[in-house]
Amino acid sequence: MKHFLSTTFLVLIGLLFLLPGCNKNENVKPDESGMFVKFYGGSYDDHGYSVVEAPDGGFYVSGSTYRANQPGADTNIFVVKADRNGNAIWTRYYNLGDGFDEIARDMIIDKDGNVVIAGYKRNKNKTTDVLLFKLKNGNPLDTSFVTFGDTATDEKGYNLVQTSDGNYIVYGSAETKSALLDMYLLKTDLTTALWKRQMGTLDRNDLIGSFDIVDNKRLVWCGTTERNGERNIAVTTADDYGNFLWNLTYVPHNGINEYGRSIVKTTEGYVIAGSKNRTTDATSLKDVYIVKTDFNGISGVNDKFVVPGNYSSEANSIVALGNGVYGVTGYIRTAAGDKNIYVAKVTEEGKVLASAEFGGAGDDEGKHIIYTKDGGFLVIGSIYAVNNSMMAAYKMSSDLKLVK
């Protein structure tokens, strides 16, 4: 059994009595516990992957739900609109009119106020296609979607950005003919594919991390390459047509695996967060690992550091606060071997300014962290409770204390 922070434990116990109604009632009553520790979903397996702050001060949260009571028991898109205190205003599940899986992995509010979600959808051939799902002006009842892909192979969308010309770029993965994975870019106007790019080595896995646009033109993304039995962080940049500018792999040549999961732009370059094995054994414990580079991808000897813990930990998302300070979220394992949501505030020299853990029995994981307009952190992820997983949101102050 894992141990909660004391305040979190009391809040969770109170909220568990509210959970079944939250999943089934579209007009969810606000939680009155007082702390911004919110669980969305109920009697199904629900997972949170992305959160954005809305213009009205509230939040949109997206992810997936496994609706076991439906014909075919497929996975559907799950979207929540919450107020500034995290109380659900509405929740919606979208199965897009068929019995095939749909999963939402990233979300933005575009220049026109639409909520646009990127993910993937399984088709009748049992492969997956990139999915873009839109809520016009954030209206949960005014939706549309489009898919892109080769029906013979898997394509999945994980990151989404809007370009300066009003179109959209999705970053994700594409299956190769060798049944391995390449990194994948797709530009679209939400109707047609304007261009596609596939990056990787035919006989190796190239795993995605995250993606961004720099100065409205240059594209930058991180991921993980697998070469000669070793996995290393890679950073790639391209122009706004997806043509390569440079690609750098941070190879220590020591047989230890590193994984790039999230990249963020700073005033001086880029910062990548992920994880690093402690030994050459791929099953060894991992630590949160952060790499800093300049805009040319050059990293100095003091620009790489781990955030050590007693047990394995990994970062899934990083946000820059400025002045060389970052917030990260992911997971940290406990002595029992299961996962807690992990949040840390660190400097670019590797100093941990504050950290926090949230969770109970079972695996819990932070997937996305943002820095909110009021100067705090909001983390979205999943927790395991009442025999199933639930979408979870935690709001913290700048020193990682839970807030009301």
Side-chain angles (χ1 to χ4, degrees):
M1 173 72 73
K2 287 187 278 189
H3 298 284
F4 287 79
L5 294 179
S6 58
T7 54
T8 310
F9 178 79
L10 296 174
V11 172
L12 176 61
I13 293 301
L15 287 178
L16 290 181
F17 293 101
L18 302 175
L19 298 183
C22 292
N23 193 54
K24 300 174 181 177
N25 184 359
E26 300 295 0
N27 299 308
V28 182
K29 293 182 180 180
D31 167 58
E32 298 178 352
S33 65
M35 302 301 292
F36 199 134
V37 178
K38 307 298 178 183
F39 307 124
Y40 309 116
S43 56
Y44 313 112
D45 278 325
D46 307 294
H47 299 276
Y49 292 109
S50 184
V51 59
V52 293
E53 195 165 5
D56 62 5
F59 305 92
Y60 290 97
V61 186
S62 66
S64 67
T65 184
Y66 178 69
R67 308 302 301 279
N69 67 332
Q70 293 187 162
D74 62 328
T75 299
N76 299 152
I77 293 172
F78 182 27
V79 183
V80 178
K81 173 64 190 301
D83 65 20
R84 65 181 66 247
N85 297 312
N87 301 311
I89 298 172
W90 52 257
T91 64
R92 290 292 187 278
Y93 305 101
Y94 299 97
N95 67 7
L96 306 188
D98 59 30
F100 304 116
D101 295 339
E102 302 91 15
I103 294 180
R105 294 304 300 258
D106 197 15
M107 174 174 53
I108 64 170
I109 299 177
D110 71 11
K111 297 173 183 177
D112 297 320
N114 304 307
V115 175
V116 185
I117 293 170
Y120 50 94
K121 176 176 173 53
R122 197 164 298 282
N123 57 50
K124 63 182 180 180
N125 295 319
K126 298 184 179 181
T127 59
T128 56
D129 297 325
V130 171
L131 169 67
L132 289 164
F133 182 73
K134 182 174 79 172
L135 287 71
K136 188 174 181 180
N137 298 318
N139 182 350
L141 303 179
D142 190 355
T143 65
S144 60
F145 74 93
V146 63
T147 60
F148 302 96
D150 180 343
T151 57
T153 58
D154 286 339
E155 293 90 10
K156 296 180 179 180
Y158 287 89
N159 291 167
L160 176 67
V161 295
Q162 188 174 28
T163 58
S164 58
D165 59 10
N167 293 308
Y168 306 83
I169 296 180
V170 181
Y171 175 47
S173 64
E175 187 181 40
T176 71
K177 293 181 180 179
S178 302
L180 298 170
L181 296 177
D182 278 349
M183 300 177 189
Y184 178 76
L185 289 178
L186 165 73
K187 185 171 184 179
T188 176
D189 57 5
L190 298 188
T191 302
T192 60
L194 303 178
W195 53 253
K196 301 176 184 179
R197 302 286 185 269
Q198 194 164 327
M199 303 79 64
T201 302
L202 182 63
D203 60 346
R204 296 288 187 273
N205 272 318
D206 295 276
L207 309 177
I208 69 161
S210 74
F211 168 81
D212 206 350
I213 294 181
V214 181
D215 300 328
N216 294 323
K217 290 287 185 180
R218 189 166 68 254
L219 315 179
V220 59
W221 62 93
C222 76
T224 306
T225 63
E226 183 180 358
R227 303 291 183 271
N228 301 317
E230 184 174 311
R231 291 183 173 180
N232 304 120
I233 293 173
V235 176
T236 305
T237 63
D239 63 21
D240 54 349
Y241 290 95
N243 300 311
F244 286 111
L245 298 176
W246 53 256
N247 176 59
L248 292 177
T249 303
Y250 301 92
V251 185
H253 298 296
N254 58 9
I256 294 177
N257 291 335
E258 299 93 13
Y259 305 82
R261 297 287 173 77
S262 182
I263 190 168
V264 63
K265 173 183 170 292
T266 71
T267 56
E268 298 177 347
Y270 311 110
V271 176
I272 305 101
S275 64
K276 179 178 181 179
N277 282 101
R278 294 185 185 177
T279 73
T280 56
D281 182 352
T283 65
S284 68
L285 298 181
K286 296 178 181 177
D287 292 311
V288 170
Y289 186 51
I290 296 177
V291 176
K292 177 186 173 185
T293 80
D294 64 18
F295 283 114
N296 296 312
I298 304 304
S299 184
V301 293
N302 297 319
D303 292 334
K304 304 170 187 176
F305 63 89
V306 299
V307 181
N310 291 330
Y311 305 100
S312 273
S313 59
E314 295 190 76
N316 290 321
S317 179
I318 185 169
V319 62
L321 280 65
N323 300 318
V325 179
Y326 311 97
V328 297
T329 193
Y331 75 83
I332 187 167
R333 289 199 180 273
T334 69
D338 47 8
K339 298 177 181 178
N340 275 346
I341 293 174
Y342 178 66
V343 189
K345 184 178 178 182
V346 301
T347 70
E348 59 188 20
E349 293 82 21
K351 181 179 180 181
V352 179
L353 301 177
S355 64
E357 295 180 36
F358 306 97
D363 284 344
D364 314 306
E365 189 164 354
K367 290 294 188 178
H368 190 198
I369 186 170
I370 63 172
Y371 194 58
T372 55
K373 295 174 184 176
D374 60 4
F377 293 99
L378 182 60
V379 169
I380 182 72
S382 305
I383 62 100
Y384 186 82
V386 198
N387 299 318
N388 59 277
S389 296
M390 297 193 67
M391 184 184 288
Y394 296 84
K395 180 71 162 42
M396 288 156 277
S397 62
S398 61
D399 58 355
L400 302 187
K401 303 296 184 183
L402 288 171
V403 301
K404 293 184 178 181

